[in-house]
Amino acid sequence: MEKEIILMAKSWKGGGYCTAGIDTTTGEWVRIVSDDAARQHAVTDEDMKYEDGTSPQVLDKVSIKWTAHTPNDYQPENYTMDSSYYWVKTGRADIDEIIDLHPTDFHGELFYNNDKKVTPGEIQAISDGNKYSLALIRPLDTKINVKRWDGNTRPKITACFTYMGRSYRYIKVTDPIFVMQYQDIEDGDYSLDNVYFVASLADPNPSDGDHWKLVATVLEA
């Protein structure tokens, strides 16, 4: 089986990547996962490369072979890729094409509450048809926080923003290209205007089983 998606997220996850996109036929979210449970089904560079050895980038249009729709309790969009095939680049998209295909998502609260994370109990209380783990949002009042903890030279990058009238504080950013832009900047808060976020709900944290909210991709509007 095959899907063509616009790649919307290629963010860090446990030694690999969280990869997700928008189906160019249906406009629906698709999260591409591997069959490697030891890596929480993260996708590696080797898994996703093109036949010429290059790696897909966000906003690439990509044709991907998949073996099964594999939803779980918290990520209904999961499709397990067929790792015996190369990914195939079919084009590039821009933000206008994306918004035509999949307008920004409007949820009363981002992933069911106003906190930085969601408990398994909160997710279980949501009916299956209303569960989601990916959202394209237009944040307002956005600030990027750069903070080095415990003497680390590499800062932690988080986002504070308003969405649907609610404030979200210190949501971790896992977009590799965006994060690298802030590695050498002094600790502090930096305003960010006119962007879209791809927000993602992570796998259970091993320490407590909770699911952290992430900014998987930052896109210029």
Side-chain angles (χ1 to χ4, degrees):
M1 295 175 283
E2 189 170 357
K3 281 185 177 292
E4 183 188 64
I5 66 169
I6 300 172
L7 189 64
M8 297 291 291
K10 181 186 174 183
S11 64
W12 285 318
K13 174 185 176 180
Y17 296 95
C18 164
T19 55
I22 294 170
D23 189 312
T24 59
T25 299
T26 66
E28 296 177 348
W29 281 109
V30 174
R31 186 188 295 272
I32 301 297
V33 299
S34 73
D35 57 7
D36 189 345
R39 277 202 316 267
Q40 289 189 309
H41 303 284
V43 176
T44 66
D45 279 314
E46 185 67 21
D47 289 334
M48 73 173 84
K49 70 180 181 181
Y50 297 138
E51 190 169 6
D52 65 3
T54 60
S55 184
Q57 302 301 315
V58 169
L59 301 186
D60 280 359
K61 291 183 179 179
V62 186
S63 178
I64 301 170
K65 301 283 189 181
W66 56 280
T67 60
H69 181 207
T70 49
N72 56 35
D73 287 343
Y74 53 92
Q75 291 176 340
E77 309 92 343
N78 288 0
Y79 286 80
T80 298
M81 61 174 290
D82 187 338
S83 59
S84 64
Y85 291 90
Y86 289 111
W87 290 20
V88 178
K89 182 176 178 178
T90 58
R92 286 281 291 174
D94 59 26
I95 195 66
D96 290 334
E97 182 177 356
I98 291 163
I99 296 302
D100 285 343
L101 180 63
H102 183 102
T104 50
D105 293 296
F106 291 100
H107 301 282
E109 294 176 305
L110 185 60
F111 303 130
Y112 321 125
N113 68 25
N114 199 213
D115 199 355
K116 292 188 290 187
K117 61 181 182 178
V118 181
T119 67
E122 287 175 296
I123 293 175
Q124 290 168 10
I126 305 297
S127 62
D128 286 345
N130 290 317
K131 290 179 181 178
Y132 69 104
S133 71
L134 294 160
L136 178 64
I137 68 172
R138 190 73 181 268
L140 300 174
D141 308 316
T142 306
K143 292 188 182 299
I144 299 300
N145 179 262
V146 179
K147 177 69 174 177
R148 293 166 177 82
W149 297 91
D150 302 324
N152 288 334
T153 57
R154 175 171 291 185
K156 181 177 181 180
I157 311 300
T158 58
C160 301
F161 56 91
T162 300
Y163 170 67
M164 298 294 289
R166 293 178 169 85
S167 178
Y168 294 85
R169 306 285 291 169
Y170 304 111
I171 306 299
K172 185 177 180 180
V173 181
T174 56
D175 178 334
I177 293 175
F178 183 83
V179 167
M180 291 304 295
Q181 298 174 18
Y182 287 82
Q183 292 305 295
D184 298 323
I185 293 178
E186 293 182 0
D187 287 10
D189 292 318
Y190 298 88
S191 295
L192 188 67
D193 298 318
N194 208 26
V195 294
Y196 292 91
F197 285 167
V198 176
S200 178
L201 193 62
D203 289 296
N205 187 298
S207 64
D208 57 15
D210 291 345
H211 302 264
W212 289 84
K213 301 175 187 182
L214 306 171
V215 175
T217 309
V218 180
L219 292 171
E220 293 185 7

